[in-house]
Amino acid sequence: MEQQVKQNYIEAGRVIQKARKKAREVAEPGTSFVEIAETVEQLIRDEGLRPAFPVNLSVNEEAAHFTPAEDTERKLQEDDVLKIDIGAQSEGYIADTALTVNPSGKDQEIIDEVEKVLEEALDFLEPGVTVGELGTFIEKQVPDDYNIVQNLTGHSLGNYTQHAGLSIPNKANTNSYEFQEGDAVAIEPFLTTGTGTVKNGRDGNIYKLESERSVRSRTARQLMKKIKNYRGLPFTTRWMDLSGKEKMAFRKLLQQNIVRNYPVLQDRDGSVVAQAEHTVLVGADGGENVVTTRR
C-alpha cells in the first residue's frame, strides 16, 4: 500500500474515532434522529473531511440503510436499539464504522456480544487467511442465543468506493481469496434475535447515482451536477436543500433508475439487531493490522 494512501485511510479513521465518541454522547433519549445524524456529520466536516455516506440510524429490527429526512420527527426512545453507521473519506479513502446503543440497557447483552465477535474476528484476521476461513471463524463465535445475519457482509473498500467488490460473509463459506497485506476492508458482524435474514422494508432516504445518462430537463441536469459532487458515494436529500422543482426532478431520476434508493433492511417485526464494525488495513504495520477506526 502506498504511504499516501495509507495516511488517507488513517486520517479518515482518526476523524471517525471522534465521530464515534460524539455519536455516543448525542444518542440520548429524546434527541431527534435529525440532530444525531447532523451532529455526527458536522463533526466530520469540522475536522476537514467529508462524510463517506449519510449517518445510518437503524432501530430495533432494522439493520441498515435508514437516515432521517430533514423533516423526520422521530426521537430516540430509551428502549431503542440504535445502530449508528458512520463513514468519513479523505481524498476518497474511506473509514467505515458502526456501533449500537441502547439507552435503557435492556438489550445490552446482544450489543456486548456483537462487539466481542468483532474483536475476535479482528484478532483472527491476518494476511493469508481466506475469506472462507474468516467467515467460518466468525460464525463459530456467535452465542447460541442469537443468529448471525447471514445476508449482510463485510466488504473491501476502494477509492470513492464503499463496497469495492469483495464481500466478506460472517458465516462459513467457500471463498478462497486470501487477504493480502494492505487490503482495506470493513468487518461488520450483525447479531439478531430474529430469523438471521434481512429483507427490504421502507425507503431509507439514502441514494446513490446509478447511471450518468443524459436528461432533458434543465432542472434535472442541474440536479445531476449536485449529485455528481458525491463522486459515486451514497447521499441523502437531507444534504441537498431541494426546491419544489428539484424534488419533482429527483423523483423522475428515481423512476428512470438514474438514481437508486436504498430500502431499509430489516429482520422480522419485534426482533432486535445489533451491529459492530471497524475498518482494517490488513497487515499494514509490519504485518500487523491497522484498525483505523479504533484507538
Side-chain angles (χ1 to χ4, degrees), residues 181-224:
E181 186 174 308
D183 281 350
V185 296
I187 306 300
E188 54 175 325
F190 293 78
L191 297 187
T192 179
T193 61
T195 65
T197 302
V198 295
K199 58 187 178 183
N200 290 343
R202 62 194 171 112
D203 290 346
N205 196 35
I206 297 176
Y207 304 91
K208 186 174 183 292
L209 181 62
E210 193 76 1
S211 168
E212 294 193 24
R213 301 198 310 271
S214 60
V215 291
R216 289 186 179 183
S217 160
R218 180 183 177 187
T219 302
R221 289 197 300 271
Q222 293 172 337
L223 186 55
M224 284 287 286

Side-chain angles (χ1 to χ4, degrees), residues 225-278:
K225 289 181 180 179
K226 290 184 180 181
I227 292 171
K228 288 179 181 179
N229 287 333
Y230 300 117
R231 301 288 297 272
L233 291 171
F235 63 94
T236 174
T237 56
R238 182 166 44 77
W239 293 350
M240 301 180 73
D241 191 23
L242 298 178
S243 67
K245 286 185 177 180
E246 286 176 325
K247 289 178 181 178
M248 292 178 62
F250 190 77
R251 285 195 290 269
K252 289 184 178 179
L253 294 179
L254 283 169
Q255 291 167 0
Q256 296 169 9
N257 296 318
I258 292 173
V259 171
R260 169 190 174 188
N261 170 259
Y262 286 84
V264 174
L265 300 175
Q266 64 181 65
D267 205 325
R268 70 179 180 216
D269 291 348
S271 62
V272 170
V273 178
Q275 174 193 17
E277 178 182 19
H278 279 309

Side-chain angles (χ1 to χ4, degrees), residues 29-256:
T31 308
S32 74
F33 279 27
V34 172
E35 181 178 347
I36 295 170
E38 292 191 342
T39 298
V40 176
E41 291 164 357
Q42 190 58 47
L43 181 147
I44 293 169
R45 296 186 185 102
D46 290 345
E47 290 290 326
L49 300 186
R50 296 177 67 180
F53 51 85
V55 168
N56 285 214
L57 299 175
S58 307
V59 179
N60 301 332
E61 70 269 16
E62 298 172 348
H65 295 172
F66 176 78
T67 200
E70 58 276 8
D71 58 353
T72 297
E73 296 181 355
R74 182 165 187 173
K75 297 180 179 181
L76 185 64
Q77 304 300 307
E78 282 215 4
D79 284 345
D80 281 342
V81 176
L82 177 67
K83 279 69 65 182
I84 309 175
D85 199 339
I86 313 167
Q89 54 103 346
S90 174
E91 302 296 329
Y93 295 99
I94 298 168
D96 187 355
T97 193
L99 59 146
T100 304
V101 298
N102 173 223
S104 72
K106 181 173 71 73
D107 291 293
Q108 188 61 41
E109 181 179 292
I110 190 172
I111 297 171
D112 292 342
E113 290 295 347
V114 78
E115 290 178 350
K116 186 186 300 182
V117 169
L118 175 61
E119 291 303 320
E120 290 169 340
L122 297 177
D123 287 343
F124 182 81
L125 176 61
E126 62 182 17
V129 168
T130 69
V131 170
E133 289 168 343
L134 179 60
T136 299
F137 176 84
I138 290 173
E139 189 171 28
K140 288 180 178 178
Q141 310 314 305
V142 177
D144 291 340
D145 291 342
Y146 306 111
N147 289 318
I148 199 82
V149 175
Q150 300 203 19
N151 57 334
L152 290 176
T153 71
H155 50 90
S156 56
L157 297 158
N159 191 233
Y160 289 104
T161 308
Q162 186 186 0
H163 292 260
L166 179 65
S167 293
I168 306 169
N170 297 303
K171 63 174 184 174
N173 65 90
T174 59
N175 190 327
S176 61
Y177 175 81
E178 295 183 2
F179 290 100
Q180 305 296 308
E181 186 174 308
D183 281 350
V185 296
I187 306 300
E188 54 175 325
F190 293 78
L191 297 187
T192 179
T193 61
T195 65
T197 302
V198 295
K199 58 187 178 183
N200 290 343
R202 62 194 171 112
D203 290 346
N205 196 35
I206 297 176
Y207 304 91
K208 186 174 183 292
L209 181 62
E210 193 76 1
S211 168
E212 294 193 24
R213 301 198 310 271
S214 60
V215 291
R216 289 186 179 183
S217 160
R218 180 183 177 187
T219 302
R221 289 197 300 271
Q222 293 172 337
L223 186 55
M224 284 287 286
K225 289 181 180 179
K226 290 184 180 181
I227 292 171
K228 288 179 181 179
N229 287 333
Y230 300 117
R231 301 288 297 272
L233 291 171
F235 63 94
T236 174
T237 56
R238 182 166 44 77
W239 293 350
M240 301 180 73
D241 191 23
L242 298 178
S243 67
K245 286 185 177 180
E246 286 176 325
K247 289 178 181 178
M248 292 178 62
F250 190 77
R251 285 195 290 269
K252 289 184 178 179
L253 294 179
L254 283 169
Q255 291 167 0
Q256 296 169 9

